[in-house]
């Protein structure tokens, strides 16, 4: 059972994190696709948001077998389940 939801994705487990972000396993129940979701920590400022937006734009341009494919980017509502 998932503990939180981010947009269409059910967040199932934390893979890791660092100083600026967390990476979660997300599951889309409509397509049954599992994805890695990188989220900016909410305590960071606007310059960190600019970094994330720039990273997303640059990742969309890349296509290489040794790189993770960017499926989606944007902002979504984060909800916890009780």
């Amino acid at each position: 059972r998932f503990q939180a939801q981010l947009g269409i994705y059910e967040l199932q487990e934390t893979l890791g994190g660092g100083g600026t972000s967390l990476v979660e396993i997300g599951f889309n129940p409509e397509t049954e696709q599992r994805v890695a979701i990188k989220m900016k920590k909410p305590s960071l400022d606007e310059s960190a948001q600019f970094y994330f937006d720039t990273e997303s734009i640059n990742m969309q341009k890349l296509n290489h077998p040794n790189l993770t494919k960017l499926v989606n980017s944007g902002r979504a509502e984060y909800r916890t389940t009780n």
Side-chain angles (χ1 to χ4, degrees):
R1 177 158 155 71
F2 67 96
Q3 299 297 313
Q5 187 159 345
L6 183 67
I8 62 171
Y9 297 101
E10 299 170 353
L11 301 181
Q12 298 181 327
E13 147 183 18
T14 300
L15 289 176
T20 61
S21 63
L22 297 172
V23 179
E24 302 272 340
I25 293 177
F27 178 72
N28 180 339
E30 290 182 20
T31 63
E32 297 185 354
Q33 181 183 30
R34 286 172 45 106
V35 297
I37 299 176
K38 183 177 180 181
M39 299 181 290
K40 179 181 76 75
K41 290 182 177 177
S43 60
L44 298 178
D45 61 16
E46 284 301 311
S47 65
Q49 183 63 56
F50 177 78
Y51 168 79
F52 266 65
D53 292 343
T54 303
E55 181 181 51
S56 173
I57 290 166
N58 290 331
M59 286 296 294
Q60 290 175 25
K61 296 175 184 176
L62 299 175
N63 182 14
H64 189 277
N66 293 335
L67 295 176
T68 301
K69 179 182 174 188
L70 178 63
V71 176
N72 193 358
S73 66
R75 296 184 174 107
E77 181 181 341
Y78 178 86
R79 299 188 306 268
T80 58
T81 61
N82 293 333

